[in-house]
Amino acid sequence: MHTRSLEILVGFFVCLGIAAVFILTMRVASLDKIGNSGTSFRVIAKFENTGSLGAGSAVKLSGVRIGRVRGISIDPVTFQAVVALDIDGSYNSIPADSNAKILTAGLLGEQYIGLEPGGDETALKNGDEIKFTQSALVLENLIGQFLTSFTQKDAKKDTDAAAAPSAR
Amino acid sequence: MKNLRLIVSNFLRGLGEATLFLFSIFGAVPAALLRPRLIAQQLYSVGVLSLIIIAISGSFIGVVLALQGYRTLSSFGAASSLGVLVALAIVRELGPVVTALLFAGRAGSALAAEIGLMKATDQLSGMEMMAVDPLRRVVAPRFIAGIIAMPLLASIFTMMAIGVAGGHAVGVELLNVDAGSYWAQIHNAMHGRDIRDMLIKSTVFGVAVSWIAVYQGFHAAPTSQGVSRATTSTVVISSLAILALDVVLTAFMFR
Amino acid sequence: MTTAGSDTLVRVRGLRFGFGPRTIYDGVDIDIARGKVTAILGPSGTGKTTLLRLIGGQWRPTGGTIEFDGVDVHQQSRKKLFALRKRMGVLFQSGALLTDLTVFENVAFPLREHARLPEAMIRDLVLMKLEAVGLRGAAALYPEQISGGMSRRVALARAIALEPDMVMYDEPFTGQDPISMGVLIRLIRGLNAALGLTSVIVSHDVAEVLSISDHVYIVSGGKVLDHGTPESIRNSTSPLVRQFLHGEPDGPVPFHYKAAASYATDLLGA
């Protein structure tokens, strides 16, 4: 019947639409499985500079994502950035003396926190602070350092060159 | 000066009339929801019939974006980020906005013309005199169908653009971006939030376009000129409304 | 003073109505007798269709009352008004058939909307109504596939689908060929007798109207000029009625639309 085929087409359309939503959420987007569930624990780490790190950035251990940055605030005394990390509850044996670095994915990619496990027997637990940290590399500083060392080297070369004839 | 005042007062009157009309549609929605068959019929004309244009446009936009993005990204040696570029642009902006613009042109204009013609040929009056409320019987089912169809169409558009025929086909098959890294990058850069925002945006656009279309049709002058003007206004006003709403919504979503 | 149960089905008293500054009705009294065919005759632009919309409660008069079977149409809640409308059928000039439905579904439309009837019963009822207007064979066609005269007959079948007390015809004879005209005249008279209907015909086709109506009102310039049986109307002495009945180009209704200045002033300049 006429209405029957119409209803089938409409049903097909709705299914297609819902399938598209489903595919987009499952395949394309990463669901926030980590960080929001009740099984995560929180540790903090203080950095001199967090670069472009932000809430939601990944926390990785040996390249595997184990958590997310929950929030960044300022320590009112030392003016360091205090980064709160939510780490999935199943990673409950990370050594307490592990160190945290702010790293960049690729040359221009986003920044994340990479943990390097230490050797301590005790594990990180809720409320702990990661003591050993390394701040984000700020490109300007890096270039600045590079330029300074370059000009110093140049200056040294000049003086070397000036000194050379007399030495000969 | 007098002209300006007339334009302003006409605009305010139209806006007020449209808002009151929206309230009366809301009043008619519960009764219309009890008749899913009517809504299904309208879903066919606004949804199924828009499917082809939406799917094809989605593929084209995905292809173009992948080609353009690849040129720029590869000059930075970041071709592997192609997936992120395509996916973010489509999910956050182009998917809902382009779908809504096409929807306004395809379904919105048809809605306005259909209702306007029903008015011009006394069909709405006739219904009223048969003690049938045209708001419940004609307007509300079309309004509801428009709101349901928009997010579904936007999702289909997005899926076509990123995955099936657009970005994936060009990026992976043609430009040899690694399929794994195409998807992994997308997976990393996008959150469930982005999909949710896309659905919210497209639903809001659906409400706006359907509202404008049924208002324009229902309040069209009952002449052929009136109907054609209603159709044109629907497309023009809807397009402006979509872009303006997009600014507001984007500002809210990506603070 | 009520019309409930009396011989008068619709009683219009002191009706006033206008669009903005333009006055359409300026104190009109009309009585529509139960079981009779009443015609409202008048030149175009006198708001005859407006009268039907006022009786149907689609528009509100600026003054006066309209009672349908003893109930003031404009004092009703929306629900009661809709209940009243089920007792009135309207045949619009264009037919106003729903273009996305077949002839059958058009006639079934009011039944489906208002009565929870089994499908078999709807089918029988619709076929009976279509048979009454002689279009049972066209049940599967769409409105765009049938002629204007047929559309009006389908609309008539639809108007009587809910078995109303009264049917109002808006210009039923306009633009019909002589055969369709004959068919419609026969149908209006026949249905009025067979179903015990009250009929109201709004028209400017003098000959046809006088041939089928029991009572005629002549409306012009917002007033009732004359009313009575077709006989008495034919013998009316009113110059305006005579002009209208005989189609004289000039008379009380002037040939020239009223101009601000005289012809000579307009041509020669002030």
Side-chain angles (χ1 to χ4, degrees):
Chain A
M1 222 175 97
H2 177 68
T3 51
R4 207 178 127 75
S5 58
L6 181 140
E7 278 159 11
I8 291 172
L9 278 172
V10 172
F12 168 73
F13 166 63
V14 174
C15 282
L16 193 65
I18 290 173
V21 176
F22 193 73
I23 291 172
L24 288 176
T25 28
M26 298 324 263
R27 181 78 204 264
V28 173
S30 46
L31 286 175
D32 292 334
K33 279 185 223 142
I34 302 164
N36 294 335
S37 59
T39 60
S40 67
F41 63 93
R42 183 168 303 176
V43 297
I44 58 166
K46 291 180 179 167
F47 294 93
E48 297 295 338
N49 192 323
T50 57
S52 65
L53 199 74
S57 295
V59 177
K60 292 182 176 182
L61 178 67
S62 312
V64 179
R65 191 169 71 206
I66 59 164
R68 281 187 182 286
V69 171
R70 167 47 57 133
I72 301 174
S73 55
I74 291 282
D75 184 320
V77 181
T78 61
F79 299 112
Q80 280 180 313
V82 181
V83 179
L85 312 174
D86 278 348
I87 295 176
D88 194 273
S90 55
Y91 303 102
N92 54 5
S93 54
I94 302 166
D97 63 344
S98 299
N99 85 50
K101 290 178 176 174
I102 296 181
L103 301 171
T104 307
L107 187 58
L108 297 166
E110 60 180 310
Q111 291 191 305
Y112 65 95
I113 290 190
L115 296 182
E116 280 176 8
D120 203 332
E121 295 286 306
T122 53
L124 273 179
K125 59 183 186 300
N126 199 23
D128 281 359
E129 181 186 343
I130 299 177
K131 294 281 176 3
F132 307 102
T133 63
Q134 182 186 319
S135 289
L137 285 176
V138 178
L139 209 57
E140 288 87 335
N141 295 350
L142 205 66
I143 293 171
Q145 279 173 12
F146 180 70
L147 284 178
T148 348
S149 67
F150 199 70
T151 42
Q152 278 171 352
K153 216 179 269 172
D154 263 7
K156 205 172 155 203
K157 214 182 261 169
D158 281 352
T159 48
D160 280 358
S166 61
R168 198 164 279 171
Chain B
M1 196 61 215
K2 205 179 167 192
N3 250 343
L4 186 73
R5 202 193 290 165
L6 196 74
I7 289 171
V8 170
S9 73
N10 272 349
F11 171 77
L12 290 178
R13 199 180 137 256
L15 192 65
E17 194 179 39
T19 308
L20 293 176
F21 186 63
L22 184 64
F23 290 147
S24 44
I25 296 176
F26 284 144
V29 161
L33 283 175
L34 293 178
R35 303 183 61 177
R37 189 170 292 243
L38 285 181
I39 298 175
Q41 272 169 6
Q42 294 312 319
L43 263 181
Y44 175 79
S45 52
V46 299
V48 177
L49 295 182
S50 309
L51 201 51
I52 303 228
I53 184 178
I54 294 287
I56 291 177
S57 313
S59 318
F60 283 159
I61 291 207
V63 168
V64 169
L65 208 57
L67 288 172
Q68 290 281 11
Y70 182 80
R71 264 185 69 168
T72 313
L73 286 176
S74 62
S75 63
F76 292 114
S80 65
S81 297
L82 183 65
V84 182
L85 177 86
V86 174
L88 286 184
I90 299 275
V91 170
R92 289 187 176 169
E93 279 304 321
L94 294 172
V97 171
V98 175
T99 307
L101 291 174
L102 292 168
F103 185 73
R106 172 67 187 78
S109 62
L111 268 184
E114 194 189 8
I115 296 179
L117 263 179
M118 289 182 86
K119 189 182 183 194
T121 55
D122 276 335
Q123 295 183 49
L124 297 181
S125 264
M127 272 190 197
E128 246 177 62
M129 286 306 299
M130 283 187 275
V132 174
D133 186 350
L135 274 181
R136 286 184 194 176
R137 182 61 175 71
V138 175
V139 174
R142 285 167 171 77
F143 183 71
I144 297 169
I147 295 172
I148 298 176
M150 248 311 289
L152 297 179
L153 288 171
S155 306
I156 293 168
F157 181 99
T158 307
M159 192 179 72
M160 294 300 289
I162 301 177
V164 183
H168 180 82
V170 173
V172 175
E173 308 296 335
L174 205 66
L175 302 176
N176 284 325
V177 174
D178 178 54
S181 87
Y182 181 87
W183 284 107
Q185 291 267 354
I186 291 177
H187 207 280
N188 250 337
M190 266 218 296
H191 308 298
R193 199 179 57 217
D194 290 318
I195 305 292
R196 189 198 64 198
D197 288 351
M198 178 198 78
L199 293 175
I200 292 176
K201 263 190 183 181
S202 50
T203 310
V204 172
F205 295 160
V207 173
V209 174
S210 311
W211 174 28
I212 292 167
V214 294
Y215 167 76
Q216 287 291 340
F218 203 80
H219 292 258
T223 58
S224 44
Q225 203 189 11
V227 174
S228 77
R229 193 177 299 157
T231 317
T232 314
S233 312
T234 299
V235 177
V236 173
I237 300 175
S238 298
S239 308
L240 290 177
I242 290 163
L243 297 173
L245 280 170
D246 188 49
V247 173
V248 176
L249 288 173
T250 306
F252 265 108
M253 286 167 175
F254 307 108
R255 272 174 305 179
Chain C
M1 207 175 85
T2 171
T3 54
S6 80
D7 280 350
T8 310
L9 183 64
V10 178
R11 190 197 293 273
V12 179
R13 284 293 172 267
L15 180 68
R16 282 170 195 284
F17 185 76
F19 293 111
R22 204 175 133 228
T23 306
I24 305 285
Y25 288 114
D26 188 14
V28 165
D29 297 344
I30 291 174
D31 287 312
I32 289 164
R34 220 179 269 273
K36 295 281 169 38
V37 179
T38 305
I40 317 283
L41 268 178
S44 346
T46 47
K48 297 186 299 294
T49 307
T50 308
L51 182 66
L52 298 188
R53 291 191 192 271
L54 287 166
I55 294 176
Q58 279 190 310
W59 292 345
R60 300 187 74 85
T62 45
T65 56
I66 297 176
E67 281 179 24
F68 179 85
D69 203 11
V71 182
D72 187 334
V73 174
H74 299 281
Q75 299 297 322
Q76 303 305 308
S77 68
R78 185 180 176 73
K79 212 173 168 185
K80 287 202 178 132
L81 178 65
F82 270 30
L84 270 188
R85 283 183 186 164
K86 288 182 202 167
R87 300 173 55 194
M88 314 175 185
V90 178
L91 186 71
F92 283 92
Q93 192 173 345
S94 57
L97 295 180
L98 302 172
T99 41
D100 56 340
L101 299 178
T102 59
V103 164
F104 180 94
E105 286 300 323
N106 260 288
V107 180
F109 181 81
L111 296 170
R112 291 197 200 283
E113 292 292 321
H114 292 305
R116 291 259 159 271
L117 295 174
E119 188 58 36
M121 198 168 179
I122 289 182
R123 200 183 110 85
D124 292 351
L125 278 172
V126 171
L127 291 180
M128 278 160 65
K129 305 295 175 195
L130 281 175
E131 177 71 20
V133 297
L135 289 177
R136 190 166 45 82
L141 299 178
Y142 278 88
E144 78 242 24
Q145 297 169 307
I146 61 179
S147 72
M150 285 163 82
S151 298
R152 279 184 210 183
R153 282 152 72 188
V154 174
L156 181 55
R158 187 177 66 177
I160 57 172
L162 285 178
E163 321 231 317
D165 299 341
M166 177 172 84
V167 176
M168 300 189 273
Y169 301 87
D170 185 7
E171 302 283 5
F173 310 117
T174 309
Q176 297 295 299
D177 63 72
I179 302 175
S180 322
M181 192 103 90
V183 169
L184 278 167
I185 289 176
R186 212 189 87 190
L187 273 176
I188 293 173
R189 257 309 0 158
L191 287 173
N192 200 71
L195 302 176
L197 285 171
T198 301
S199 305
V200 181
I201 303 173
V202 147
S203 178
H204 53 233
D205 294 286
V206 176
E208 290 75 19
V209 164
L210 290 182
S211 74
I212 63 164
S213 49
D214 298 310
H215 202 91
V216 179
Y217 279 84
I218 300 204
V219 178
S220 181
K223 303 265 191 205
V224 173
L225 292 184
D226 201 357
H227 70 99
T229 59
E231 278 318 300
S232 68
I233 292 294
R234 278 201 188 90
N235 301 325
S236 173
T237 50
S238 155
L240 217 162
V241 173
R242 297 198 68 81
Q243 187 198 356
F244 183 64
L245 291 188
H246 299 112
E248 288 154 7
D250 209 351
V253 175
F255 172 71
H256 294 289
Y257 190 80
K258 200 164 64 183
S262 79
Y263 191 38
T265 343
D266 264 358
L267 279 184
L268 301 172

